[in-house]
Amino acid sequence: MEKIRKIATEEAFSIPEVAEALKQVVRGPTSSLDRLLVSQIYDSKPGASGYGMLNFLERLLDVEDHRLREMNELGVDMHLLSLTAPGVQMFDADTATDLAALANDRLADICRRHPTRFAGLASFAPQSPRRAAKEMQRAIRSLKLNGFILNSHTNGEYLDDPKYWPILEAAEALDACLYIHPRAASDGLKGPLQDYGMDTAMWGFGIETGTHCVRMMTSGLFDRFPKLKICIGHMGEAIPFWLWRLNYMNTRSQKMGRSPRTQLTMAEYFQRNFFITTSGVEDHLALDYAIRKLGVDHVLWAIDYPYQPSKPAVDFMDTAPLSEPDRAKLYHLNAERLFHIAPL
Ligand code: 1WB
Ligand code: MN
């Protein structure tokens, strides 16, 4: 079998300055549900239980050493890197703006050193939408990064809020995809998600991010930004499975005057404006469903490094019951097109 290029599209990294700022922010006063995991990842004592046990921080801060060796061992050609959740979204606007620019500079350096091994999604500070739009332009035009990362809500607010239109305008005008990655649920949503470890990847992340996307679709935002491209991980944060009911009930709700009128249906927006990745969902049945629901051009492969192990993610895609042309779409062709990654 000919070797197939493998581009993993939701791969996390960090830089020491952001790691330090996260440690400080969770030592201070914050009601954010992210505090639980952030303090365990960035501020845990040796021997403590919880996320500290998994040594994520060490692997987030490493790109060119252990990570690259593991990529070589497994035949993973490229990581599309993004500053890990919650990104800069827990910081004040000035700190967030500065740290996003710093992270983008470092990311661009890595991509320049290894142009076939790393590509990158740029960060920006939604706390200051106009400065964010400027940084987004710099990230694409000067730094040649490949798209954007946003970690769901910012201070409890979502992208349907018109204050964020400069960000959406910039993404659309630059033809750069915006990856909406999870973080813990906003204060308004967090209530019953705080117990039993439900705050993170087990459940809360998907509820938060799925809700974010449904707000965007039902608000009618995609009539204003019809060419905006959104990517979400985790096999679509459960939206593909909900899509029929979302579509049916939104149509009814529009007729009742409870939802804004939209030019297209929710299913049409999801199938037109959204792309999903397989990050952290290694289930062939879910993959088959997602492909049939969205079309094979809208599904991309991801590992979710370092939060998920790489080998099972590769095995999952190698053994997926797909035609070889479709496997190539998931493994690299869709990523090359969506994120403007040069074909080999
Ligand atoms: C986990 C996953 C934790 C992600 C994270 O903390 C992030 C987890 C920032 O596996 O619990 C992620 O990026 O998918
Ligand atoms: Mn992730």
Side-chain angles (χ1 to χ4, degrees):
M1 202 171 76
E2 209 190 319
K3 198 201 163 290
I4 185 166
R5 188 185 197 191
K6 298 177 171 59
I7 302 177
T9 53
E10 189 196 303
E11 315 313 321
F13 85 109
S14 193
I15 60 172
E17 292 85 348
V18 170
E20 178 61 27
L22 281 171
K23 180 166 142 181
Q24 295 309 327
V25 91
V26 294
R27 284 183 178 183
T30 171
S31 57
S32 173
L33 186 54
D34 281 291
R35 165 184 247 148
L36 290 174
L37 82 141
V38 169
S39 60
Q40 288 176 18
I41 293 176
Y42 296 91
D43 198 15
S44 74
K45 291 170 193 62
S49 63
Y51 275 101
M53 294 171 68
L54 301 177
N55 293 322
F56 284 150
L57 181 55
E58 201 181 315
R59 293 200 286 152
L60 288 165
L61 294 173
D62 157 64
V63 175
E64 293 164 277
D65 186 22
H66 173 84
R67 179 188 311 239
L68 201 48
R69 276 205 307 279
E70 191 194 277
M71 289 166 65
N72 292 341
E73 277 160 27
L74 296 173
V76 175
D77 294 279
M78 179 179 261
H79 276 193
L80 176 65
L81 297 168
S82 46
L83 185 66
T84 198
V88 298
Q89 290 164 250
M90 290 182 80
F91 309 139
D92 65 78
D94 289 344
T95 306
T97 301
D98 291 349
L99 285 175
L102 182 66
N104 292 341
D105 287 341
R106 298 268 172 81
L107 182 54
D109 286 342
I110 293 168
C111 298
R112 266 192 294 271
R113 282 199 292 275
H114 309 271
T116 61
R117 308 310 303 278
F118 297 109
L121 299 179
S123 297
F124 56 86
Q127 296 92 326
S128 183
R130 293 200 178 279
R131 284 189 286 173
K134 286 219 168 64
E135 178 61 15
M136 292 167 80
Q137 284 162 6
R138 187 184 78 97
I140 300 296
R141 292 187 185 143
S142 308
L143 300 181
K144 309 290 180 202
L145 291 171
N146 303 83
F148 303 109
I149 183 86
L150 178 76
N151 299 285
S152 202
H153 78 86
T154 306
N155 299 318
E157 290 170 332
Y158 294 87
L159 286 179
D160 57 286
D161 190 316
K163 80 198 291 177
Y164 296 125
W165 283 351
I167 290 167
L168 304 179
E169 263 162 35
E172 191 184 47
L174 293 161
D175 186 28
C177 179
L178 175 59
Y179 202 121
I180 304 185
H181 186 278
R183 60 179 289 192
S186 63
D187 285 4
L189 190 60
K190 72 183 182 185
L193 299 171
Q194 301 177 73
D195 306 308
Y196 316 128
M198 288 169 67
D199 54 315
T200 71
M202 189 205 303
W203 189 251
F205 277 11
I207 298 299
E208 162 67 24
T209 314
T211 300
H212 195 154
C213 296
V214 172
R215 287 190 67 92
M216 292 172 77
M217 286 189 278
T218 53
S219 70
L221 172 160
F222 291 104
D223 291 337
R224 179 174 275 267
F225 303 104
K227 295 203 155 67
L228 183 62
K229 294 190 180 105
I230 303 293
C231 188
I232 52 178
H234 315 106
M235 212 63 91
E237 311 289 8
I239 296 173
F241 207 74
W242 274 97
L243 198 55
W244 192 93
R245 189 161 169 83
L246 171 67
N247 197 63
Y248 179 90
M249 289 300 173
N250 177 268
T251 304
R252 192 181 78 174
S253 191
Q254 289 197 25
K255 288 196 187 112
M256 291 191 288
R258 299 183 79 249
S259 298
R261 286 282 181 180
T262 56
Q263 287 168 17
L264 303 185
T265 66
M266 299 303 110
E268 286 168 332
Y269 293 128
F270 197 67
Q271 286 159 345
R272 183 187 70 179
N273 295 90
F274 284 79
F275 296 78
I276 72 169
T277 77
T278 62
S279 58
V281 180
E282 289 152 16
D283 177 346
H284 288 152
L285 198 52
L287 177 66
D288 181 54
Y289 179 83
I291 290 173
R292 288 210 246 164
K293 200 78 183 165
L294 303 185
V296 70
D297 295 332
H298 282 241
V299 184
L300 291 71
W301 178 64
I303 300 169
D304 213 352
Y305 185 96
Y307 300 106
Q308 299 268 141
S310 301
K311 172 107 177 35
V314 172
D315 292 344
F316 164 70
M317 192 50 53
D318 283 345
T319 58
L322 296 169
S323 69
E324 291 316 304
D326 283 357
R327 200 183 319 279
K329 286 185 173 187
L330 268 73
Y331 253 148
H332 70 103
L333 293 170
N334 293 343
E336 288 164 2
R337 200 177 58 251
L338 185 59
F339 296 110
H340 307 292
I341 295 168
L344 287 178

